[in-house]
Amino acid sequence: MAYIGKQPVVGNFQVCDAISVVNGQAAYTMQVASANVEPENANHMLVSLNGVLQKPGSSFTISGATITFASNLATGDVIDFIILLGDTLNVGTPSDDSVGAAQIKADLISGTTALTSAPDDTDEFLVSDAGTLKRIDYSLIKGGGITVADQFRLTANKEGNSDITANLERVDTAGQGGMTDNQMSESSGIFTFPLTGIYLVSFNAWGTAPSESGGDTQILYIKATTNNSSYSIVAESTVGDGDNRQVTASNSSLIDVTDTSNVKVKFTADSMASNTYWSGNTTENHTSFTFIRLGDT
C-alpha cells in the first residue's frame, strides 16, 4: 500500500524522554534518545498526565513532534509518560529469537531478484558457523576453477647448450590464447607466477638433428628456483639415437609456488650438437611452454 505523507511506523513501541512542565505552556516537543519523534496520529499514543490517561483528540492533539494539551499546564503538573505505539494494526518487528523456519515463506529465495553477474568481493552471504548464523564476504569464499592459464612459445630456433633467454612470446595466434587476467610474466627467460598456488608447468618441443650431429642426444630441462637465485632441474626430456631426424620432446612438473617473488622457472637446452636445434615459429607452437594453476598451495 502506498502512503501520502509519512508512512506509519510498524509496531515500533517507544517511550518518550521525560518532559519538564513549563507553567502556562500547553505545547511540548516529544523526543526519544534526544531525537524528535513524530507519531502517526494521536490514537497511537498513551499519554499520562498527573496519573490520569488522557483521551486522544480532546485532551491532547499532535502535530509532527509536538504534543499540545487541551489547556495550559501549570507548575506542579507532571507528564508521567508518553508511549508511542507505532502502527498497531501491523505485527512490526518480531522479538529476538522469535522467528523460525515455519514463519519464513518457501519462496523467500526464488521470489527474490537474482544476480545476473558474478558477485562483488564485498557482497555478503549467510553461513552457519557451528549452528550460529553469520555473514561472510564473497572475497573469502570465491575460488575454484582455473585462475591462471598461460602459454608461451619459441619464435626462433634455439641452438647451443644454454638457458632459453630470448625469442619468447605469449601465444597470440587467432583461436589460441590463455586467460587475460593473472598472466605469467617473462624476463630474459625467467618466468614469474602471478599468484601463489600449485601449478602444472609443461613444455612440448620439436627439434631437428641433421646427419652431421653425429647422432648426439638432445635434452630440454625445466628448472625451478625457490629463492630467486639458484635453479635446480625439476623435469628433463631426452631424445636421440639416429642421424638426420626430427624429434619431439615433452615433460611437465608440478611447481608449488609459495612465494611469487622467489619461486620461478626457466627452460634450458643441453647436449646440443652442431646444427642441432629446437624449432621456433611465430604462428605455430613448435616449442611451447604452458602454465596452469591447479589450486591453492
Side-chain angles (χ1 to χ4, degrees), residues 25-72:
Q25 180 175 311
Y28 298 87
T29 299
M30 295 174 290
Q31 294 186 324
V32 172
S34 300
N36 290 2
V37 289
E38 300 182 8
E40 181 59 28
N41 60 61
N43 293 327
H44 290 179
M45 300 171 59
L46 294 176
V47 179
S48 175
L49 176 64
N50 297 324
V52 179
L53 286 176
Q54 305 297 296
K55 182 179 179 180
S58 58
S59 296
F60 68 90
T61 59
I62 64 166
S63 177
T66 300
I67 179 172
T68 302
F69 291 94
S71 58
N72 291 339

Side-chain angles (χ1 to χ4, degrees), residues 19-293:
I19 298 176
S20 299
V21 170
V22 178
N23 186 46
Q25 180 175 311
Y28 298 87
T29 299
M30 295 174 290
Q31 294 186 324
V32 172
S34 300
N36 290 2
V37 289
E38 300 182 8
E40 181 59 28
N41 60 61
N43 293 327
H44 290 179
M45 300 171 59
L46 294 176
V47 179
S48 175
L49 176 64
N50 297 324
V52 179
L53 286 176
Q54 305 297 296
K55 182 179 179 180
S58 58
S59 296
F60 68 90
T61 59
I62 64 166
S63 177
T66 300
I67 179 172
T68 302
F69 291 94
S71 58
N72 291 339
L73 304 186
T75 301
D77 288 336
V78 176
I79 301 174
D80 304 299
F81 58 78
I82 298 176
I83 298 177
L84 310 180
L85 304 180
D87 187 348
T88 58
L89 298 180
N90 291 310
V91 174
T93 304
S95 301
D96 292 348
D97 297 324
S98 66
V99 176
Q103 288 78 38
I104 300 176
K105 294 180 63 178
D107 66 347
L108 179 64
I109 300 298
S110 61
T112 302
T113 301
L115 285 173
T116 57
S117 59
D120 293 331
D121 283 351
T122 54
D123 285 349
E124 295 182 332
F125 293 78
L126 293 178
V127 298
S128 176
D129 180 13
T132 300
L133 197 61
K134 295 182 179 180
R135 69 180 190 271
I136 184 171
D137 280 355
Y138 174 63
S139 62
L140 299 177
I141 60 175
K142 70 177 182 180
I146 293 175
T147 56
V148 179
D150 209 354
Q151 192 173 59
F152 284 73
R153 65 183 165 213
L154 194 62
T155 61
N157 295 344
K158 165 59 181 173
E159 297 182 4
N161 301 327
S162 62
D163 295 338
I164 299 175
T165 60
N167 302 315
L168 292 163
E169 71 170 7
R170 177 171 284 110
V171 172
D172 58 0
T173 305
Q176 291 184 291
M179 302 176 68
T180 57
D181 295 331
N182 303 323
Q183 292 181 323
M184 299 289 295
S185 59
E186 180 270 329
S187 177
S188 299
I190 303 297
F191 288 87
T192 300
F193 299 89
L195 304 171
T196 60
I198 304 295
Y199 286 77
L200 175 63
V201 178
S202 60
F203 70 78
N204 189 71
W206 168 41
T208 298
S211 58
E212 58 266 30
S213 68
D216 286 345
T217 59
Q218 292 169 250
I219 301 174
L220 194 61
Y221 299 123
I222 300 176
K223 293 183 177 180
T225 178
T226 58
N227 59 12
N228 195 26
S229 178
S230 57
Y231 283 80
S232 300
I233 298 171
V234 295
E236 173 184 350
S237 285
T238 303
V239 293
D241 294 333
D243 293 338
N244 196 21
R245 69 203 184 281
Q246 292 185 337
V247 296
T248 59
S250 62
N251 212 325
S252 63
S253 181
L254 293 175
I255 305 296
D256 186 4
V257 182
T258 57
D259 183 337
T260 58
S261 296
N262 289 306
V263 181
K264 302 178 182 182
V265 296
K266 64 181 179 180
F267 302 89
T268 303
D270 198 9
S271 191
M272 304 286 283
S274 175
N275 296 319
T276 299
Y277 62 84
W278 292 115
S279 177
N281 193 285
T282 60
T283 58
E284 299 176 0
N285 292 359
H286 287 191
T287 301
S288 60
F289 314 94
T290 303
F291 309 84
I292 299 176
R293 184 181 185 276

